[in-house]
Amino acid sequence: MSEIIKKFANNDYFYNPQEKKKSSLLWLFLFLIFMGIGLTLSILSREVPEFAPFYSTKIYPLWQGTLGRFSGLFPFSLSEAILYSLPVILILDIIFIIVRKRRRFSGVIKRILVFLSLLFCIYTANCGVNYFNKPFLVSERVPIVEPNLPRIVQFCQYLVDELNHSSEENMKGTSPQDYYPQGQELAEEAVEAMNRLGGIYPSLSGYYSKPKAITNSRPFSNMGVTGIYSPFTIEANYNREMTPYNLPFTACHELSHLKGYMDEGEANFIGFLACINSDNKAFNRSGLMMAWVYAGNELYRLDRDTFSKLRKSLPEDVIQELDDNNEFWETYETKASEIQDQINDAYLQYNGLEEGIVSYDTVTVMMVSWFFTSAEANI
């Protein structure tokens, strides 16, 4: 034991040729293992049709139930904390090398490569494969109807009627900041909404960790990002700076990714369903507002006159919230947000979503299908 201590003290341990060779082989072994697992999962999900649905429903829930529960123990975003700590760790590692003059920077490179291969492996296991999961509408056997103009008009009229009812019964002069839940209340209500929806759609049942606000949300506002799912910690994170009506819907949208549904249109649809099926009136309103944004945009594209008539029949408080939201995002229409859109578009296409960022808008097809096959009997 004293000999080992002496080697460390003299800085000889790290530079013993045999030990150095063993160390290099170990780093190489770890790199190949992590990359091998990640590549194997990626290839199987893309080339074997039944692999991703099996993995997403049988294997991935094990990670969500372990790593997801662990990260859920922290009241803050663990992924955000790790992100900010990595540069600090790297700087300290470099300082340590400079102080320990006989050590080399090749060790830093090895550690970085192994760390990146580990991230790739975790990403693929907790996210990448799920992009090739069976679609939500197929899993839950929700029929799809053609979203023609008359149906979209009828659905938008339903949204207008519900929003008018919401304003008359619930807002009553309350400011949006006071009306929509935030912080811990938002997190608890979002989990409750998803659990409630899981009672209707079995693939959404099970454990949910609470969605977490991003402490430093400004970079996400600058990039036009409302929320993000972290596959490395299996966390749902949301931008806390947004206009309040976005918060419940976004929290549920991000939580849907925890169940293996990565398609953004599907996540929007699940977020909508979670909100309107919640027993929290603010969540109901959030879902209706976001549905109007997406369906209204499609109606505007098809028939501007009808869109204009319906928009004028919205309550003044709804119009004010929509205007506030537009003003908020216009403030952050920067080069950074354009680059983020391009990156996100390429990322989604790489993962099999040919529509790219347009996939967010496919929620209108799903909502109209839901309205005419599942909801209209209860309306």
Side-chain angles (χ1 to χ4, degrees):
M1 179 66 70
S2 60
E3 186 65 26
I4 294 176
I5 295 175
K6 186 182 295 184
K7 285 183 177 181
F8 271 94
N10 295 330
N11 207 20
D12 291 333
Y13 180 82
F14 297 99
Y15 296 96
N16 182 295
Q18 292 183 345
E19 295 295 340
K20 182 179 179 181
K21 183 177 180 180
K22 290 180 181 179
S23 176
S24 297
L25 289 175
L26 176 61
W27 288 118
L28 177 61
F29 174 76
L30 292 175
F31 175 80
L32 293 176
I33 286 294
F34 295 142
M35 287 298 295
I37 294 174
L39 288 173
T40 299
L41 291 176
S42 181
I43 293 171
L44 287 174
S45 63
R46 293 169 184 271
E47 302 298 332
V48 182
E50 295 303 317
F51 176 77
F54 170 80
Y55 181 93
S56 298
T57 56
K58 304 298 182 182
I59 307 299
Y60 165 72
L62 299 177
W63 314 142
Q64 194 218 349
T66 51
L67 178 57
R69 286 181 184 273
F70 173 75
S71 62
L73 297 175
F74 297 85
F76 53 85
S77 172
L78 183 60
S79 56
E80 183 183 16
I82 293 174
L83 178 64
Y84 293 143
S85 66
L86 289 178
V88 177
I89 294 173
L90 179 60
I91 293 172
L92 291 176
D93 196 13
I94 294 174
I95 292 175
F96 185 66
I97 288 174
I98 295 173
V99 173
R100 303 287 295 274
K101 297 179 181 179
R102 293 176 61 184
R103 293 189 65 186
R104 300 178 182 177
F105 283 94
S106 59
V108 176
I109 298 175
K110 292 174 186 176
R111 288 189 285 277
I112 290 176
L113 289 176
V114 170
F115 180 70
L116 291 176
S117 67
L118 174 61
L119 291 183
F120 172 67
C121 180
I122 295 175
Y123 163 81
T124 307
N126 295 335
C127 180
V129 176
N130 291 338
Y131 272 102
F132 300 89
N133 188 15
K134 186 180 297 184
F136 176 73
L137 297 186
V138 175
S139 296
E140 298 296 347
R141 299 180 180 179
V142 178
I144 299 177
V145 302
E146 180 187 355
N148 55 33
L149 179 58
R151 286 171 175 161
I152 292 176
V153 170
Q154 189 172 339
F155 178 63
C156 286
Q157 182 64 63
Y158 156 73
L159 295 175
V160 169
D161 293 342
E162 290 297 306
L163 285 169
N164 272 283
H165 178 72
S166 171
S167 293
E168 293 172 2
E169 296 295 321
N170 303 308
M171 290 300 284
K172 298 180 180 179
T174 304
S175 69
Q177 287 75 17
D178 295 330
Y179 181 71
Y180 296 99
Q182 300 184 38
Q184 185 69 13
E185 181 184 0
L186 170 64
E188 293 175 353
E189 289 290 347
V191 170
E192 176 61 29
M194 294 301 292
N195 284 327
R196 189 183 184 94
L197 190 63
I200 303 173
Y201 301 101
S203 67
L204 297 174
S205 61
Y207 170 76
Y208 287 93
S209 57
K210 294 178 181 178
K212 301 173 182 178
I214 301 169
T215 302
N216 183 20
S217 288
R218 184 54 50 85
F220 286 82
S221 297
N222 287 329
M223 293 185 292
V225 175
T226 60
I228 189 169
Y229 161 69
S230 168
F232 309 110
T233 53
I234 310 187
E235 286 179 305
N237 298 297
Y238 62 89
N239 182 341
R240 65 175 183 171
E241 289 189 340
M242 296 185 296
T243 310
Y245 81 78
N246 287 274
L247 298 175
F249 172 85
T250 300
C252 293
H253 169 112
E254 298 303 332
L255 284 176
S256 72
H257 291 319
L258 269 64
K259 291 303 174 184
Y261 292 111
M262 302 308 302
D263 182 281
E264 297 298 345
E266 289 184 342
N268 277 342
F269 180 53
I270 294 171
F272 164 73
L273 291 177
C275 284
I276 64 169
N277 281 284
S278 170
D279 57 4
N280 185 295
K281 298 300 181 182
F283 269 66
N284 298 159
R285 184 180 174 92
S286 176
L288 293 168
M289 294 279 286
M290 295 304 297
W292 166 260
V293 170
Y294 284 105
N297 285 342
E298 182 63 15
L299 178 59
Y300 178 82
R301 186 181 69 83
L302 297 173
D303 186 343
R304 295 189 180 186
D305 290 338
T306 302
F307 168 81
S308 180
K309 292 177 182 178
L310 286 177
R311 191 178 190 279
K312 289 178 181 178
S313 61
L314 286 170
E316 290 185 7
D317 53 7
V318 169
I319 294 177
Q320 184 61 56
E321 287 185 69
L322 293 171
D323 289 343
D324 289 343
N325 183 65
N326 290 334
E327 183 178 347
F328 172 80
W329 291 115
E330 285 173 1
T331 303
Y332 297 105
E333 284 187 357
T334 63
K335 190 64 177 179
S337 64
E338 293 178 12
I339 294 174
Q340 165 60 25
D341 285 344
Q342 293 172 3
I343 293 174
N344 194 27
D345 187 60
Y347 166 77
L348 293 173
Q349 291 184 19
Y350 170 78
N351 282 293
L353 301 180
E354 295 180 359
E355 304 91 345
I357 58 175
V358 178
S359 63
Y360 286 86
D361 300 333
T362 58
V363 63
T364 300
V365 176
M366 302 178 198
M367 291 189 300
V368 170
S369 295
W370 164 83
F371 182 75
F372 282 96
T373 60
S374 303
E376 65 177 354
N378 299 318
I379 297 174

